[in-house]
Amino acid sequence: MEPMDTAVSDRSGVRGRTRRAILDAAAVVLAKNSGASLGDVAAAAGVGRTTVHRYFAERSDLLKALGADVLEKVAAATDRSHLEDGPALAALERLCQELFELGDALTLVFDESLVATWNWEGWEEDTDADRALSHLIERGHAEGAFDPALDVDWIVQTLWSLLYVAWQRGRTGGTKHEALSLCLHTLRKAASPAP
């Protein structure tokens, strides 16, 4: 019997669940207060501060792990969207829905000053998810599904802007369903060619 990869076993067992709880709590706490302490994160995760320190010795270690976690979540959301399947507009809507579900992790992405201050690695370069979205928009242009006057970058920025507005709407009293519905409706209208 071959030995189990330590990294895999750490992420799949109790250690993995505890690490996941800490990262999820950190996203919620830091989305509300970017200056929150490790003690605040520990309290939200339902663990002691020493437990957080066992996983992340310094606040900077937690922030670095959180940045990598958000990139992984965006990549997974992109994969689940199957951007190569069906009409481009339908694929873009699926991606929008998947990204909307990222919740508080999504809120962190919108604050570029946090990303810069926290020195998140990998955020300066295009990822596979970025390239997949660009390819989808190019395909949408070729299909005639997206307004040719709107370049790839404009549609990407519009998508992220709409997600920000939708997530804020959901956080400030609107229902999640309403916020997502408005986001998708606006995305359709914004990206589609003029009649």
Side-chain angles (χ1 to χ4, degrees):
M1 181 178 239
E2 294 194 24
M4 184 184 277
D5 180 358
T6 307
V8 171
S9 65
D10 282 352
R11 295 211 180 191
S12 62
V14 173
R15 284 189 55 81
R17 287 189 299 274
T18 302
R19 184 178 192 279
R20 173 85 268 141
I22 293 168
L23 288 171
D24 289 345
V28 171
V29 169
L30 293 169
K32 292 177 183 163
N33 174 13
S34 62
S37 69
L38 289 181
D40 297 329
V41 172
V47 299
R49 188 180 168 107
T50 55
T51 300
V52 173
H53 279 291
R54 250 192 319 255
Y55 288 83
F56 307 103
E58 302 289 333
R59 188 172 191 272
S60 61
D61 297 325
L62 174 61
L63 297 177
K64 181 178 176 182
L66 187 58
D69 187 58
V70 172
L71 279 177
E72 287 173 16
K73 286 180 175 182
V74 169
T78 303
D79 288 345
R80 285 190 305 272
S81 300
H82 301 284
L83 298 184
E84 64 285 348
D85 295 346
L89 182 57
L92 186 62
E93 289 179 16
R94 286 193 305 271
L95 177 62
C96 185
Q97 291 172 342
E98 290 288 344
L99 292 173
F100 182 80
E101 293 300 323
L102 297 184
D104 288 304
L106 188 64
T107 305
L108 298 174
V109 172
F110 296 131
D111 192 335
E112 290 184 13
S113 66
L114 293 182
V115 173
T117 303
W118 293 348
N119 297 316
W120 280 1
E121 294 178 6
W123 284 81
E124 311 80 30
E125 303 124 28
D126 278 351
T127 64
D128 288 343
D130 294 326
R131 287 185 285 278
L133 176 54
S134 294
H135 178 72
L136 170 65
I137 295 168
E138 289 166 357
R139 181 166 68 88
H141 280 132
E143 289 175 6
F146 301 146
D147 189 331
L150 306 177
D151 64 29
V152 170
D153 187 56
W154 185 263
I155 295 175
V156 168
Q157 294 302 320
T158 299
L159 169 67
W160 285 106
S161 298
L162 287 171
L163 283 164
Y164 174 77
V165 171
W167 188 242
Q168 288 297 87
R169 175 92 171 228
R171 290 180 75 189
T172 58
T175 69
K176 185 175 173 181
H177 175 74
E178 172 200 34
L180 181 57
S181 294
L182 288 170
C183 182
L184 291 170
H185 179 75
T186 307
L187 181 63
R188 273 182 228 111
K189 292 181 80 64
S192 297

